[in-house]
Structures are given as structure tokens and as C-alpha cells.
Amino acid sequence: MPGRIPTGGVRGCQVRITFGDLKIGDIARKYIQRALEANWVSEGRNVAEFEQKFAHKFGYKHAIATSSGTDADIVSCASLYEVGAKRGDEILVPACSFVSTANSILAAGFTPGFVDIEVETLNIDPIKIEEAVTKNTRAIMVVHTMGKPCKMDPILEIARAHDLKIIEDSCEAHGATFKGRVVGSIGDMGTFSFYAAHVVVSGEGGMVVTNDDEIAKVIKSVKSHGRPFGSVYFDFQRIGFNSRMNELTAAIGIEGVESFDKTFNKRKQNLYKLLELTRELTDYCYFINEEKFEKMSPHAFPIVLRDKKYDCAKLYKYLESKGVQCKTLFGSLPTQHQAFKFLKHRYGEFPASEYVGENGLHFGIHQYLTDDDLLYISDTLKGYFK
């Protein structure tokens, strides 16, 4: 289980392969200076420009900046009250995903309905979604894990059949597409994070995207205490939060959007190269795979052991001892993490998620890695297995 794997790294070892980095360039500095000269760092011109550039870059009608990817998920969930959802209703979510998904559902006043994943894709299993729908289900939060798009066709069919909203957590999937459609535009709304390990970075910060005018109006209200968008008066029309982005974060995000193609292409090149270098290890591990009908976003490099005998805890310690910073693949939130014990799920309910939690790791594939770094990673992995 994830708890058996140490989380502090190996003492005395210099980290060579990190998850990502934040480097502030001239474009970001220009926008930071603009905010400083205006003596205003709360949401303003920089945030509006970041939203416009992000929406234009990926083709969304609306992009609404938030203080984090987690807040993007929270306000998206809370927007469901506008279409008849009630407190305690259920939002389906993959059992294996970063903790912010389930936390966001709870924070918005809903109950997470956990659904198992597919080991090979790390994404929610559409067959299990159909089995999990109840009379209290109001939405499906899909997660495009590690930048690989979910199988959206059957998910859309299920949503239509049961009149459910779809929230696409695309926090790890900037620029990914499924059958020509960019993630975040396939469902009713999508969410993004700009944490340091992601393709677009702003240090912190998030974004909600949608092509629906009414959803956009509600999201803008929910993220600002429930007031009508643009109002500063104490007229609170719906549940709301203080989820606004600040000008300094937006300044860095603008640079991230403007350098997106260069960053994306370099990371994708690194991903393809490392997949090729590790091809001989496919008997030992499941590796991420890009289908012809999709374009993955190069978020990170995940591996899942095909056989428990190779001992994920030992692999973790080995990689860290060699300077490769790594983390688990989240694990089953309802059955492998103490935080969700109160929901009373039992180990064994989500076998694929639990297997990935016990036998999966991921590490960085970011744009600052060199060919020598990639060769070092592959040699290190081969050294462990062979």
C-alpha cells in the first residue's frame, strides 16, 4: 500500500531528475512589474489577460482563473447546485486519482462515488461507471490521468442516458485531445492546474473552462463568494468561495501559455524517447501508451509493475537513491488513505486502483531534462530489473 513507501526521499542523495521546475523569464517579469507599478496584486488586468490567452490558445469559449486546480474543481462541483443538485448528492470520481478530486467534491458539499480504474490506462473504467450510477448521482468527474485522455465516447453516452453533468479534471492534461477535441471541451466544463510539475506553470493557480455561457456565469459568481460576477456588493446569490487568482500568479501563467508549444513539444519528445529507451522493460512494467485517435499531454512518466514480486517499495528506494525523484500513483483514495476512512469503504472494493497504488510510481518528464538525463533514467530502471 502507498503508506509503506517512504515519502521523504533518500538522505544524502543529490536529486538529478525532479518533477519539474519554475523558471521566471522576461515575459513573466514584465507582467509582474506591471502589477507592482499598479500597486494591485489581487485579481485584475493580468488575470483577465491570462484567461483570454488560455481560452484562445486551446479554443475554449470561456476560461475562468482560480487560485488553484483544487479550487477549480471545487467551484465546478458547486456550480451543480444551479441545475438542481442538492447537498449530499453524489459525484462519481475515479478511486485512483490525486486527492484534490475527492476533497473538492466533499468541500462543495457532495459525496464522492468512487469508481475503479483500468490498470493499463490509469483512467476511470467506463464499464464501472454504468454500474456505479444511482438515483443520487448528479455528475461524473473524469480525470485525464498523467495526461492520457479518458475514453470519452462511452462516458458521454452514460451521461446523456442518466442526465448527468461531466466535469473533466484536466489538471495533468494541458493540450491533450481525444478524437480531435481538446480535453476540457468534451464535457460540460474542464479544470486545470498550473503547479510546477505541469506543462503550463504559474507556481499555483487553476482554471475552469467551458463553452456554456450559463455555466461560465455561475462559475464566475461561485469563485467570488457567490456574488453576481463583477459586483463587489454584499449580494450573495449562491454558495461561493474566495477562489480568485492573483496578478503575480497570472503573470507567470501568461508566460506559460506563450511558451506552451515549445514546452509541450520538448516534453513530448522526452516522453517518446524514454518510452523507446525502456521498450525492453515491457515484460516488467505497464507503460503509458498513446493511441492513434488521441494526443496525450506529456505530464509525467508513470510505470506500473506487472508482477508484485518486483517490489514497488524497493524500486522507489532504489530510484531515489540514484537521484530520481518519484512518487506513487496516488492509490485508492477510499481504501488506501486514512483521510477517507469515514466513508466506510473496504479494501478489495477497487482492485485495479489498489493494485496501482501498491505497484505504481511516476517521475518527471519535463522540458529541462536532457538526452543524457533520459539515458540515465532508462539505465537506472534497467539496472533495477536486470
Side-chain angles (χ1 to χ4, degrees), residues 185-297:
S185 69
I186 305 169
D188 296 281
M189 62 199 97
T191 61
F192 291 89
S193 167
F194 306 119
Y195 183 63
H198 297 181
V199 179
V200 177
V201 174
S202 65
E204 291 289 352
M207 194 79 76
V208 181
V209 299
T210 183
N211 293 327
D212 187 298
D213 294 342
E214 287 304 310
I215 290 175
K217 187 187 300 183
V218 173
I219 293 291
K220 290 175 180 178
S221 172
V222 172
K223 80 159 198 174
S224 186
H225 302 290
R227 295 179 290 205
F229 174 64
S231 172
V232 295
Y233 293 102
F234 288 177
D235 175 19
F236 306 113
Q237 298 181 349
R238 55 182 58 82
I239 183 174
F241 309 90
N242 181 8
S243 301
R244 292 167 294 183
M245 183 179 280
N246 68 69
E247 291 287 272
L248 305 182
T249 297
I252 302 169
I254 290 170
E255 184 170 64
V257 173
E258 295 198 0
S259 60
F260 174 81
D261 290 335
K262 180 179 179 182
T263 301
F264 185 93
N265 291 337
K266 174 58 176 169
R267 292 174 71 127
K268 201 63 173 282
Q269 177 185 326
N270 286 348
L271 176 61
Y272 288 153
K273 187 174 182 65
L274 189 53
L275 284 171
E276 182 61 32
L277 288 170
T278 55
R279 183 184 296 274
E280 65 189 79
L281 298 179
T282 53
D283 288 341
Y284 302 94
C285 303
Y286 296 102
F287 292 105
I288 199 164
N289 178 51
E290 185 175 60
E291 303 290 349
K292 292 181 179 179
F293 54 79
E294 66 185 4
K295 179 171 70 176
M296 296 190 309
S297 179

Side-chain angles (χ1 to χ4, degrees), residues 130-186:
E130 184 70 59
E131 297 171 358
V133 174
T134 72
K135 61 182 178 61
N136 296 318
T137 305
R138 298 292 171 262
I140 307 167
M141 180 185 284
V142 301
V143 181
H144 303 299
T145 309
M146 295 288 128
K148 182 175 176 65
C150 294
K151 296 174 180 175
M152 293 304 297
D153 287 343
I155 294 171
L156 288 168
E157 289 180 12
I158 294 168
R160 283 193 290 264
H162 297 280
D163 193 23
L164 305 176
K165 294 292 186 183
I166 295 178
I167 301 170
E168 294 180 72
D169 183 305
S170 310
C171 290
E172 300 171 0
H174 307 75
T177 62
F178 176 81
K179 295 187 176 179
R181 301 178 67 184
V182 66
V183 299
S185 69
I186 305 169

Side-chain angles (χ1 to χ4, degrees), residues 37-79:
E37 290 175 355
N39 292 312
W40 186 260
V41 296
S42 186
E43 190 171 270
R45 289 175 64 195
N46 284 355
V47 172
E49 191 161 338
F50 183 29
E51 291 173 330
Q52 291 165 5
K53 288 180 179 294
F54 193 85
H56 177 74
K57 178 63 183 175
F58 301 106
Y60 305 116
K61 188 173 184 181
H62 302 279
I64 304 131
T66 60
S67 55
S68 68
T70 302
D71 268 14
D73 278 346
I74 292 172
V75 299
S76 295
C77 292
S79 73

